[in-house]
Amino acid sequence: MTAPVHIAQALAWVDAATPRLETEEVALRDASERVLAEDIRAAAPIPPHDRAALDGFAVSASDSISAGIYSPLSLPTIAVAAGDAMPEGMDTVVPLDRGLLEGDDRVLLVEAVAAGDGVERQGTAADAGDLLAAAWTRLAPRHIGLLAVAGLTRAPVARRPRVRITIAGSVRSGDAGDSDGPMLRAAVTRDGGIIAETVLADAFAAGADIILVVGGTGPGRADVAAAALAAAGEVAIHGIALRPGETAGFGRIAAGTPVLLLPGAPHACLWTYELFAGRAIRRLAGRDPCLPYRKIEMTTARKIVSAIGMAEIWAVHYRPDGLVEPIASLAEIGLPAAAEAAGFVIVPEASEGYPPGTAVTVYLYDDR
Amino acid sequence: MTAPVHIAQALAWVDAATPRLETEEVALRDASERVLAEDIRAAAPIPPHDRAALDGFAVSASDSISAGIYSPLSLPTIAVAAGDAMPEGMDTVVPLDRGLLEGDDRVLLVEAVAAGDGVERQGTAADAGDLLAAAWTRLAPRHIGLLAVAGLTRAPVARRPRVRITIAGSVRSGDAGDSDGPMLRAAVTRDGGIIAETVLADAFAAGADIILVVGGTGPGRADVAAAALAAAGEVAIHGIALRPGETAGFGRIAAGTPVLLLPGAPHACLWTYELFAGRAIRRLAGRDPCLPYRKIEMTTARKIVSAIGMAEIWAVHYRPDGLVEPIASLAEIGLPAAAEAAGFVIVPEASEGYPPGTAVTVYLYDDR
């Protein structure tokens, strides 16, 4: 291992290695959560012409001026349903319960109507050329609906990253089997990646956008991950000033694909995934690269300790008095602390920790 | 249509119709975002016995007491890798760089070591019987990793709701085609449902957990949704005091499956989905039923108007001065306002709107 690098340096390496992937066209019906690759503008006004906004009687408002409760007025009409094009020469739709149909083509009104009432005018929602959704938008239902209204059936989006996962380390004594694989599958899916799993011998072949090698990152004789990567390309970083996660490493295969070596201990695997691999995958997918947790400022109820020179992640609880209480260093108790926590605090390398009463940034698991 | 019911009454109907679905077992590797149906406790301590926490030399700490820089001490050792069971009679692991291997089974130390250093003790992470994840937990990567560490390969979760979507209304004049279908697919997927699409003739058959009928909800002659539902079961509510969305309706087929009639105009479809159908699907899936947006209090920069007796949804922007500015009533401009908005405000039925300077609850689209 090299001298441990600081988190900022490790993040800079990740960012340089992970540009947004190229554009592909997908059916709009399958575009949920995908990231738009370019601005989408309205090709024509929305709606393209005046339409009935409700079910009723289309009339010309200027014909209705003298209508009154004592002087009902019979007007030419065409019955329309919401969404129908407005008939030629008619500018207003009277609701069904405000007029009385006479035969098929006349309606009796007892009050004047205002021109344009009950009509959705051409261009109300958007003019031709209006921006409907900007490049880098992560498509939510409301965007997909709007693009469909604008006539799109396909959308240009960033391709989803193909994430290859290789479990290289051995299962720990007493564990039932690999626990990192299921955990990483969940995380990669959350972050928009497409997963392929393989064995170490096939880890460094072509065909992936990013390669995660899990386990075997330590200094022992059985720790083969870094040597295997060195043989397939280059190891750029091995050893990060982060607890848990200090044996993580990054590099590339000869063809250039980035490779992240994640420690096999599940809590260290999770945290190096969260800070580095998840960011890499989100960047490739065009998503917001930041941790997918909301940040808030809270005040510590008790001391949080951390070795100087190492960033350290602490799981925290809320307290009823509004303070935040450290549960444990995630390096010590591991996943149970993360599973029961309200969130976590990252104590930076330069800090020895925080005395009680310090304002700290908390990343929240449950953001509501 | 019946007299419009208030949102609270409509929500009460939805809640009564949508209990959490029954439990099914799924592979842990496929359990991401699923909702646990029962508490999961540790069957045995985690770890089940003392393990090496790092690569190094296992020793008995009490043998090392007299070791010093001027009196190096040779101790019996067994080389261990992180995760290995601790060898019988040894309680401490010396890191690789803090001892010098002599032959295969002795290590030279230049300082005493503290008992337990470098060892992950039995039960450090959890004791037998400890709660690992509570019923109703929505499984995130950290939970899945912990359950895998505890030896689970499958998990008991609430079944995913089967959501049948039927587009019953006609396409509006000038629209390229159905825009509600793609939008609803995205929303139902987000909320954990499994989608089946069908035509109106098949909408009310068995085999779904909830049925969404889109369009044809108005009072006109072409508005067939409520009549079709009445023929297949009962219409409980038709007409809700909500803009956009006033023609929505709810009921059940004879077999009991809940049916939500959503207006076909895309903005009304979106909002009745968000407030009612999405909640129904999230409840069936066991998820938090609340709107999937964070709420915050903000202050209005300009007046927001709303008809008394109708709840009304307004899209809003942030302003650089920290105030919130209404863009438009979503009933008027529709999806473009929702697509460009930072979030939205729901003006309740009893309010005529808010003057500038009022504190309002804003639902945020981007919650970070």
Side-chain angles (χ1 to χ4, degrees), chain B residues 158-170:
Chain B
R159 186 166 62 71
R160 291 179 66 187
R162 294 162 301 179
V163 181
R164 184 179 298 147
I165 301 176
T166 296
I167 307 294
S170 49

Side-chain angles (χ1 to χ4, degrees), chain A residues 28-30 32 48-49 51 55 79 83-85 96 120 124-125 132 141-146 148-149 151 172-176 179 182-183 185-187 190 197 218-221 223 266 270 288 290-294 332-333 335-336 338-339 341 365 367-368, chain B residues 28-30 32 48-49 51 55 79 83-85 96 120 124-125 132 141-146 148-149 151 172-176 179 182-183 185-187 190 197 218-221 223 266 270 288 290-294 332-333 335-336 338-339 341 365 367-368:
Chain A
L28 202 55
R29 52 186 276 123
D30 299 322
S32 181
H49 48 246
R51 290 195 296 222
D55 298 332
D84 284 354
L96 290 177
E120 188 191 6
T124 301
L132 300 177
R142 65 191 187 281
H143 305 113
I144 290 178
L146 177 58
V149 164
R172 297 177 306 169
S173 170
D175 281 4
S179 49
M183 181 172 71
R185 281 179 66 87
R190 176 197 71 191
E197 287 160 304
R221 279 175 292 183
D223 290 317
L270 178 64
D288 181 344
C290 296
L291 280 165
Y293 306 113
R294 188 160 63 90
E332 277 157 31
I333 298 200
L335 290 183
Y365 281 129
D367 60 4
R368 272 171 302 136
Chain B
L28 203 54
R29 52 186 276 122
D30 300 321
S32 181
H49 49 247
R51 290 196 295 221
D55 298 332
D84 285 353
L96 290 177
E120 187 190 8
T124 300
L132 300 178
R142 65 193 187 279
H143 305 113
I144 289 178
L146 177 58
V149 165
R172 296 177 305 170
S173 171
D175 281 4
S179 48
M183 181 172 72
R185 282 180 65 88
R190 176 196 71 191
E197 287 160 303
R221 279 174 292 183
D223 290 317
L270 178 64
D288 181 345
C290 297
L291 280 166
Y293 306 112
R294 188 160 64 88
E332 277 157 33
I333 299 201
L335 290 182
Y365 281 129
D367 60 3
R368 269 171 303 136

Side-chain angles (χ1 to χ4, degrees), chain B residues 261-299:
Chain B
L261 310 179
L262 308 182
H267 59 295
C269 178
L270 178 64
W271 284 100
T272 50
Y273 178 90
E274 289 283 48
L275 292 190
F276 305 113
R279 180 182 180 93
I281 293 165
R282 291 189 295 272
R283 284 181 51 87
L284 290 166
R287 294 193 181 180
D288 181 345
C290 297
L291 280 166
Y293 306 112
R294 188 160 64 88
K295 287 192 292 192
I296 60 167
E297 290 275 298
M298 293 186 78
T299 301

Side-chain angles (χ1 to χ4, degrees), chain A residues 276-365:
Chain A
F276 305 113
R279 180 182 181 93
I281 294 165
R282 291 188 295 272
R283 284 181 51 87
L284 290 167
R287 294 192 183 182
D288 181 344
C290 296
L291 280 165
Y293 306 113
R294 188 160 63 90
K295 287 193 293 192
I296 58 167
E297 290 274 299
M298 294 187 76
T299 301
T300 53
R302 289 196 295 113
K303 189 166 70 169
I304 294 181
V305 295
S306 174
I308 213 162
M310 294 289 275
E312 188 150 346
I313 297 167
W314 276 77
V316 299
H317 275 315
Y318 297 130
R319 292 200 336 183
D321 59 9
L323 300 180
V324 66
E325 175 154 293
I327 300 173
S329 160
L330 283 166
E332 277 157 31
I333 298 200
L335 290 183
E340 71 173 285
F344 57 91
V345 169
I346 304 176
V347 184
E349 292 93 336
S351 170
E352 291 181 89
Y354 302 119
T358 309
V360 294
T361 298
V362 178
Y363 292 84
L364 296 177
Y365 281 129

Side-chain angles (χ1 to χ4, degrees), chain A residues 6-82:
Chain A
H6 281 197
I7 289 179
Q9 190 181 341
L11 290 175
W13 188 94
V14 166
D15 288 0
T18 51
R20 189 179 81 185
L21 294 174
E22 72 277 9
T23 304
E24 65 178 2
E25 293 250 326
V26 296
L28 202 55
R29 52 186 276 123
D30 299 322
S32 181
E33 302 292 330
R34 300 293 293 271
V35 174
L36 266 187
E38 54 194 64
D39 290 351
I40 306 290
R41 293 179 181 277
I46 302 174
H49 48 246
D50 294 355
R51 290 195 296 222
L54 41 81
D55 298 332
F57 307 107
V59 297
S60 170
S62 60
D63 295 348
S64 75
I65 292 172
S66 65
I69 187 81
Y70 299 113
S71 54
L73 204 58
S74 176
L75 268 57
T77 192
I78 293 176
V80 290

